[in-house]
Amino acid sequence: MAETVFHTEKLVKTYHTGGTEVHALSGVDLDLYASELTVLLGPSGSGKSTLLNILGGLDHATSGLVEFRGRNLTTLSDRALTRYRRDHVGFVFQFYNLVPSLTARENVQMVTDIAPNPMSAEEALARVGMSDRIDHFPAELSGGQQQRVAIARAIAKRPEVLLCDEPTGALDSATGVQVLEAIREINEDLGTTAIVITHNAAIQAMAHRVVRFQDGNISSVATNATRIKPSEIVW
Amino acid sequence: MHALDKKLLRDFRRLWGQSLAIALVLACGVMILLTAFGMYRALDDTLEAFYERNEFADVWATAEKAPRPLLSEIVAIEGVQSAEVRVQEYLMLDIPGRAKSATGLALSLPENGEMPVLNVPILRSGRLPDPQATDEVLVTEPFAQANGFALGDRFDALMSGQKRTLTITGTALSPEFVYAIGPGTLMPDDASFGVMWMPEHMLAAAFDMSGAFNTVTLSLSRDASEDRVIDALDDLLSPYGGTGAYGRVDQASHAFVSTEIKQLKNMATILPPVFFGISAFLVNMVIGRIIALERAEIGLLKALGYTDLHIAAHYVLMAGLTAVLGIAIGWVTGGLSARWMAAEYAQYFKFPYLIFNVSYDAYAISGFLALLTAAVGALRSAMGAARLPPAVAMSPPAPPRYKRTLFDRILSRARLSQPSMMIWRSLFRWPVRAAMSTLGLSLAVAIMISVGFFSYSMDKISDIAFNQSNREDTVLLFTKDRALSALEDVRKLPGVMEVEGELYTPAKLRHGHLEKQLSIVTRGPGATLARSIDETGHVVEAEGTGLLITTRVAEVLNLSPGDTVEVEFMTGRRETHILRVAAITEQFFGLGAYMTRDEMAGLTRSQPQISVANITHDPSQDMAFNMAIKDTPMISGAVRVTDMKASFAATLDENISIMNGLFIIVAVLITVGLTYNSARIQLSERARELASLRILGFSNWEVSYVLVGEIMLIAALAQPLGWLIGFGLGHLMAASFTSDLYNIPMVLPPAAYATASLVVLATAFTSVMVVRQRVDRLDLVSVMKTRE
């Protein structure tokens, strides 16, 4: 059995907006394993992104337990969470979030500047097939290219976990495939644990496991006996 | 270089317009601080060094003729460290090639052929006169330069009625005459007034002062009481016609220089905070906006593991770069303007050297304050950015909550157009920002008004002084007070048309514990040349028993018409009388008190006397007149009031237009800084709103109206506030310039307000129109697509 990377117990997250309480997560129990590629599926507001934010140290849980390799994240200070993100986590967002005033290489360097044991920006970009556009600004890149730069930026620090929130949400299918290809390669070649949120049920076929969300809770967890390559996904 | 630093530099380059607009305002603060503080330090240090090295005296006193042995008694006064006596006399000079006469102040040099012990002149060229010589003089350097004298050149002087030809052996500068002003004049004129030192026996022989002196200078020990020494000295000198001892405060040169130093210090402390305050606000506004726009990037940086400190520092550094730009501009312009100011001062103040220690501390302080300003401005927003939880930062900000207020109901009633409604709503949506912008623009207006009033004040001063009060062409100074019959001799000079006499009597005025030493001027009845004007512009004459005093004297002694004042005459029988204040008169130069000739004669129980003759003369006979007065023994000098009026106007016109020009630039920079940045921020915040209006079918101009309208509304609101602050600031400025030497009246005609408003409104309009061009270039599709 592979090592447990994330372990959550009775994880609750409640938002207070305008006098009403919104239960984004209501008691989630989940284990995620090393080198696994997990897809989180579910409709908007089902709690996937909230869980990802808490796992990534971007947000605090209201109650319950979250452990990263046996270390309790719920008790960490903001400073310690920052350290945790810097050392262990790579993020990929739906809207790429590249800094427009920096080139592809420089966007990756934002991470390599502060990470303890990073690969070079050139190597990270080569891994996602962006070697030929290394000195281009985001405005000079297509959506898929921008997202690949964002992935390069996420993996450059050699993170133990790669958290991807709707990485293909803003992309057409052809470019989406390229991005998923990049994520799969990182997962397989570097052994990075990858968690991918998606609306797109077709993507689940490339995962080791698929976790479905409904109303702030896990409705099902399924293990894929056979996985397919992103290029075989049709949507 | 780190990627984050690259981002910093690229963002800075992208925002160069806004950064430059802020940097220029900041630069104004740095420049003024550097110039005023630098010059203040330079003048203060130089003055102090010059005084110390050249033994500037602490106390002066003059008498008619006192015996030399009195010196030992003077030295024995408690607190006196050293004392020196000398003979000093005003001489009428006839300079080769100069039609008009000049005046010289001759000071005796010690008999031993050495320099004086106190107020030591510093030799600039040549040598001291030979103590045995009978025709050698050392003259002040500016006097020699202005008249084109070289060593060995000669000029004539009328000494006690005898024409003597004097040879220049050297030139010098003296701590006593840093600001050298001739008797009866308002401004230094190096060509027509000079100080000269000559062997004692020359002066003593000519003026019958052998074994006697008429001036004493003292230095005091550290713990001495100046007042007590002055009282003791007055007691010693009163039998010999002492006219009242005085300290440095009342020494003419020192009074002028120290007033100037005080003004520089005021300028260094009053103005820069205004600029730093506005800059801090601008930085706060711009950085706040940048942070709002970069919310997602901040979230990203946090997700990547950048610490709060990293992020706060990033935005503070961005403000810091602006500050560095401002400091650079401020240092360069400040350095240049300090140099320019130093040259200006060199025209008026005669220092042998200028200790202009490009005061590194002034640079350091101004730079530090500018950085601090930027940091303070940026810090709140930057800390806010750093504190944003990453998950919150990455989601778009919640839309601002609008509530229907009373104001909204009023707006709805007003049936304004939608764009007008948008303008008003925005004003009330960001009330603090709107208020700060209004305040900032009002300061731009105020600064112009507070300086602009000077030219109107000077017009009034010139009008009252030269057209209303002193209407004579020339004032002839007598070597000593004379009987009224002297006027008949003056009348016989070629071309003289009208003649009136005035007597100057040194006196101490006391009211309660307040005391002031000045000269009481006595005039004949119905004088039409020199007269006094009251605040309403009417001529006032002292009638019967009563004293006219100027507004400044009334303020200093806390006197009103009808009050009584104790007058101690410092000459003649030295009696003290109680007089009634008949009226207050307006006079802007020096201190003054006036009474009638009959009353003075009655009080002193003596024949009426005169010290000066005020005359008008026929310009066609100028040559003959000038020749004649050079040879009239009873006249020690001639003050050309017409020349003085011209040079007053010329000097002030130049200085005031430079100052006005500078402050117009400053007001323009403040206005550009505020309006350009406000408009850019408006545009950035409202890009979606404005694009929506365009899509709905509003024309470019209708859309621009929202942008231009809001800025111009703020600019318009700023005007009345600016007038008010300008009025107050102007009073402050006038008060800070007012001393016993000048009294600056506050004259603010509507034109002064209008000019300031016009400049600020026009600048605001131009700035916002520059930004408005971006409305035409709004890419409707992409604006609507942006996430924010």
Side-chain angles (χ1 to χ4, degrees):
Chain A
M1 179 100 186
E3 184 194 357
T4 304
V5 176
F6 286 113
H7 169 73
T8 77
E9 269 177 47
K10 300 194 177 71
L11 195 62
V12 173
K13 177 70 186 179
T14 314
Y15 291 107
H16 298 270
T17 46
T20 56
E21 282 196 354
V22 177
H23 297 281
L25 293 177
S26 38
V28 171
D29 300 315
L30 180 66
D31 285 310
L32 294 166
Y33 306 110
S35 304
E36 190 180 48
L37 196 159
T38 310
V39 164
L40 307 186
L41 273 176
S44 287
S46 61
K48 324 178 287 293
S49 291
T50 307
L51 177 69
L52 201 75
N53 284 346
I54 292 173
L55 294 180
L58 291 178
D59 209 349
H60 289 281
T62 309
S63 66
L65 177 74
V66 193
E67 282 180 354
F68 170 74
R69 294 197 186 283
R71 185 165 156 218
N72 189 347
L73 294 184
T74 45
T75 57
L76 289 187
S77 65
D78 278 343
R79 182 187 292 264
L81 279 180
T82 301
R83 187 88 226 166
Y84 158 69
R85 291 196 298 269
R86 181 192 291 196
D87 294 348
H88 304 288
V89 189
F91 287 101
V92 178
F93 304 101
Q94 179 179 2
F95 292 103
Y96 336 130
N97 277 334
L98 296 182
V99 175
S101 55
L102 296 181
T103 61
R105 185 208 312 265
E106 290 158 355
N107 263 287
V108 179
Q109 278 170 348
M110 290 225 297
V111 168
T112 58
D113 282 344
I114 57 167
N117 177 31
M119 63 181 82
S120 71
E122 292 73 15
E123 183 189 341
L125 285 162
R127 284 199 169 274
V128 294
M130 287 295 293
S131 293
D132 54 336
R133 317 217 67 138
I134 202 156
D135 286 322
H136 286 60
F137 283 96
E140 299 163 333
L141 299 173
S142 72
Q145 288 170 334
Q146 287 184 57
Q147 191 61 300
R148 280 191 280 160
V149 174
I151 293 171
R153 186 176 63 189
I155 59 154
K157 67 167 82 158
R158 306 182 200 278
E160 287 160 74
V161 293
L162 184 64
L163 305 180
C164 311
D165 192 350
E166 299 265 9
T168 59
L171 303 175
D172 62 67
S173 62
T175 22
V177 166
Q178 290 175 355
V179 166
L180 294 174
E181 228 18 291
I183 293 172
R184 189 189 64 89
E185 277 172 28
I186 282 51
N187 171 251
E188 285 180 0
D189 298 357
L190 302 177
T192 307
T193 307
I195 304 170
V196 179
I197 287 183
T198 182
H199 272 108
N200 188 339
I203 292 174
Q204 61 182 299
M206 69 179 272
H208 293 107
R209 281 202 301 161
V210 180
V211 180
R212 286 174 191 278
F213 275 77
Q214 189 74 45
D215 298 331
N217 242 318
I218 294 171
S219 57
S220 70
V221 179
T223 305
N224 284 332
T226 54
R227 297 166 61 208
I228 61 169
K229 288 182 188 163
S231 54
E232 295 162 350
I233 295 174
V234 183
W235 78 72
Chain B
M1 189 189 278
H2 284 194
L4 204 57
D5 300 330
K6 284 186 187 155
K7 169 180 180 310
L8 186 68
L9 289 179
R10 295 216 180 110
D11 287 349
F12 184 68
R13 208 162 57 196
R14 183 167 56 85
L15 297 165
W16 71 270
Q18 284 170 272
S19 302
L20 185 67
I22 299 172
L24 286 174
V25 179
L26 207 50
C28 283
V30 171
M31 182 192 83
I32 290 175
L33 188 71
L34 205 61
T35 310
F37 188 78
M39 280 316 298
Y40 153 69
R41 286 286 302 274
L43 282 187
D44 205 40
D45 289 354
T46 306
L47 196 66
E48 197 167 308
F50 194 21
Y51 282 1
E52 200 182 313
R53 291 178 201 170
N54 292 58
E55 305 289 346
F56 186 52
D58 294 306
V59 173
W60 287 255
T62 56
E64 273 169 36
K65 184 178 179 181
R68 279 201 157 256
L70 197 64
L71 177 60
S72 55
E73 284 181 63
I74 295 172
V75 174
I77 295 173
E78 192 191 334
V80 171
Q81 193 175 50
S82 57
E84 188 166 46
V85 295
R86 69 187 181 206
V87 177
Q88 74 175 44
E89 295 287 347
Y90 283 106
L91 310 179
M92 171 75 83
L93 307 180
D94 184 3
I95 291 165
R98 184 182 155 90
K100 291 173 183 171
S101 62
T103 304
L105 175 61
L107 309 178
S108 65
L109 285 167
E111 280 173 329
N112 58 11
E114 304 272 316
M115 280 285 189
V117 178
L118 295 174
N119 303 314
V120 186
I122 191 166
L123 209 56
R124 302 287 288 170
S125 66
R127 57 168 175 85
L128 281 177
D130 184 324
Q132 305 306 322
T134 55
D135 66 344
E136 291 187 353
V137 284
L138 176 73
V139 299
T140 38
E141 188 181 32
F143 173 70
Q145 283 169 346
N147 285 298
F149 285 138
L151 296 183
D153 281 358
R154 293 150 176 270
F155 62 89
D156 290 337
L158 209 53
M159 291 172 75
S160 215
Q162 274 205 312
K163 195 161 229 178
R164 302 273 290 269
T165 302
L166 304 174
T167 307
I168 297 171
T169 62
T171 60
L173 289 171
S174 161
E176 231 178 331
F177 303 99
V178 169
Y179 188 82
I181 189 164
T185 55
L186 296 174
M187 256 170 281
D189 178 354
D190 295 333
S192 68
F193 176 71
V195 179
M196 46 206 63
W197 291 262
M198 56 181 76
E200 175 157 334
H201 69 87
M202 275 173 74
L203 269 176
F207 290 93
D208 187 23
M209 295 291 281
S210 293
F213 67 88
N214 63 9
T215 306
V216 55
T217 56
L218 308 179
S219 68
L220 305 181
S221 53
R222 222 161 255 290
D223 48 355
S225 153
E226 187 180 292
D227 289 346
R228 252 183 263 154
V229 170
I230 285 176
D231 287 347
L233 189 57
D234 281 348
D235 289 345
L236 279 178
L237 287 177
S238 72
Y240 306 102
T243 50
Y246 53 88
R248 284 185 178 182
V249 181
D250 293 310
Q251 201 264 345
S253 164
H254 178 79
F256 273 97
V257 185
S258 57
T259 303
E260 195 61 41
I261 289 174
K262 199 185 91 191
Q263 284 165 8
L264 282 171
K265 198 177 171 185
N266 284 344
M267 201 159 116
T269 44
I270 296 175
L271 285 177
V274 172
F275 295 100
F276 289 135
I278 292 176
S279 307
F281 166 63
L282 288 177
V283 167
N284 180 275
M285 190 164 81
V286 171
I287 296 289
R289 182 59 195 159
I290 292 171
I291 285 172
L293 286 176
E294 294 191 352
R295 220 178 130 93
E297 282 174 37
I298 292 165
L300 168 83
L301 289 173
K302 301 202 104 177
L304 294 179
Y306 280 87
T307 62
D308 291 1
L309 190 68
H310 266 123
I311 290 163
H314 177 68
Y315 291 102
V316 171
L317 269 178
M318 188 171 296
L321 282 180
T322 304
V324 168
L325 184 63
I327 291 167
I329 298 171
W331 279 358
V332 170
T333 53
L336 289 174
S337 91
R339 197 163 298 177
W340 173 76
M341 287 272 279
E344 281 290 296
Y345 280 118
Q347 276 184 36
Y348 299 103
F349 298 142
K350 310 304 179 190
F351 291 112
Y353 40 78
L354 188 68
I355 302 183
F356 194 70
N357 283 333
V358 186
S359 43
Y360 291 108
D361 47 349
Y363 280 89
I365 290 170
S366 60
F368 171 75
L369 285 176
L371 284 173
L372 188 71
T373 296
V376 165
L379 207 60
R380 221 177 76 92
S381 303
M383 295 292 285
R387 274 198 228 104
L388 268 182
V392 176
M394 293 178 62
S395 54
R401 272 193 216 172
Y402 280 99
K403 275 187 187 158
R404 253 183 102 75
T405 60
L406 175 69
F407 173 74
D408 286 291
R409 285 198 283 277
I410 295 170
L411 275 188
S412 325
R413 287 276 168 76
R415 293 178 189 283
L416 294 174
S417 67
Q418 281 309 316
S420 297
M421 191 88 98
M422 285 170 70
I423 290 172
W424 284 101
R425 279 247 165 84
S426 157
L427 226 55
F428 282 81
R429 174 173 156 195
W430 308 105
V432 175
R433 191 165 79 187
M436 293 297 283
S437 303
T438 309
L439 182 67
L441 286 176
S442 71
L443 287 176
V445 177
I447 278 178
M448 274 189 67
I449 291 176
S450 73
V451 174
F453 87 90
F454 271 107
S455 66
Y456 301 101
S457 295
M458 293 302 148
D459 286 347
K460 179 168 180 184
I461 289 176
S462 179
D463 180 52
I464 296 281
F466 299 114
N467 300 339
Q468 316 254 5
S469 300
N470 301 93
R471 309 182 325 152
E472 63 274 15
D473 297 332
T474 298
V475 179
L476 297 177
L477 313 171
F478 296 129
T479 49
K480 60 177 190 195
D481 295 348
R482 294 186 181 262
L484 281 179
S485 59
L487 291 180
E488 292 315 309
D489 297 333
V490 171
R491 205 181 298 279
K492 286 180 198 143
L493 291 169
V496 170
M497 299 190 296
E498 293 163 278
V499 182
E500 288 174 3
E502 281 182 324
L503 173 69
Y504 283 75
T505 312
K508 282 182 182 167
L509 267 58
R510 292 194 195 91
H511 181 230
H513 67 285
L514 303 167
E515 181 183 291
K516 203 77 216 178
Q517 190 163 330
L518 46 71
S519 277
I520 293 183
V521 180
T522 307
R523 290 174 182 152
T528 57
L529 297 181
R531 37 186 218 175
S532 293
I533 306 293
D534 69 8
E535 278 183 46
T536 58
H538 293 100
V539 176
V540 270
E541 273 197 62
E543 288 167 18
T545 58
L547 198 61
L548 299 179
I549 55 169
T550 60
T551 37
R552 174 70 182 171
V553 175
E555 275 168 28
V556 172
L557 294 177
N558 190 24
L559 285 168
S560 308
D563 289 350
T564 54
V565 57
E566 188 184 304
V567 178
E568 182 191 348
F569 292 110
M570 306 302 291
T571 57
R573 293 196 177 86
R574 310 181 75 89
E575 289 174 338
T576 300
H577 296 274
I578 305 292
L579 298 180
R580 189 179 52 84
V581 175
I584 311 288
T585 69
E586 202 157 39
Q587 173 180 316
F588 304 113
F589 297 110
L591 301 169
Y594 302 87
M595 66 198 295
T596 64
R597 189 172 287 159
D598 288 347
E599 162 144 32
M600 179 61 101
L603 286 177
T604 54
R605 300 183 297 289
S606 57
Q607 288 295 313
Q609 288 199 307
I610 49 172
S611 333
V612 304
N614 296 322
I615 60 167
T616 57
H617 50 92
D618 179 359
S620 66
Q621 296 198 48
D622 261 2
M623 281 280 271
F625 173 79
N626 286 326
M627 297 276 279
I629 61 168
K630 286 175 184 175
D631 289 323
T632 308
M634 68 174 179
I635 297 171
S636 70
V639 179
R640 266 83 182 176
V641 178
T642 34
D643 289 359
M644 204 153 76
K645 180 181 176 182
S647 84
F648 178 78
T651 310
L652 285 173
D653 274 357
E654 190 198 328
N655 287 352
I656 286 179
S657 17
I658 289 173
M659 190 139 125
N660 274 343
L662 260 174
F663 278 79
I664 287 176
I665 294 173
V666 159
V668 164
L669 290 181
I670 292 179
T671 309
V672 169
L674 278 160
T675 48
Y676 180 77
N677 276 305
S678 296
R680 286 291 301 269
I681 285 169
Q682 292 289 342
L683 185 66
S684 141
E685 283 174 355
R686 290 197 153 161
R688 275 162 86 82
E689 242 172 273
L690 299 181
S692 314
L693 287 181
R694 291 276 292 118
I695 289 164
L696 289 175
F698 283 82
S699 72
N700 261 341
W701 281 105
E702 284 165 318
V703 171
S704 303
Y705 164 73
V706 178
L707 185 75
V708 178
E710 178 166 348
I711 303 288
M712 292 314 288
L713 178 63
I714 286 177
L717 290 175
Q719 300 309 313
L721 186 62
W723 299 334
L724 208 69
I725 299 175
F727 181 78
L729 213 58
H731 269 280
L732 248 167
M733 293 278 268
S736 83
F737 276 81
T738 293
S739 64
D740 285 356
L741 306 171
Y742 324 103
N743 189 11
I744 309 285
M746 184 75 184
V747 185
L748 268 176
Y753 293 103
T755 311
S757 289
L758 203 68
V759 167
V760 169
L761 288 173
T763 309
F765 188 70
T766 312
S767 313
V768 72
M769 288 309 276
V770 168
V771 178
R772 197 214 63 81
Q773 294 176 343
R774 289 166 183 261
V775 172
D776 301 343
R777 299 200 297 261
L778 269 185
D779 179 347
L780 302 185
V781 179
S782 77
V783 165
M784 297 310 285
K785 264 189 180 168
T786 52
R787 197 152 75 96
E788 199 217 2

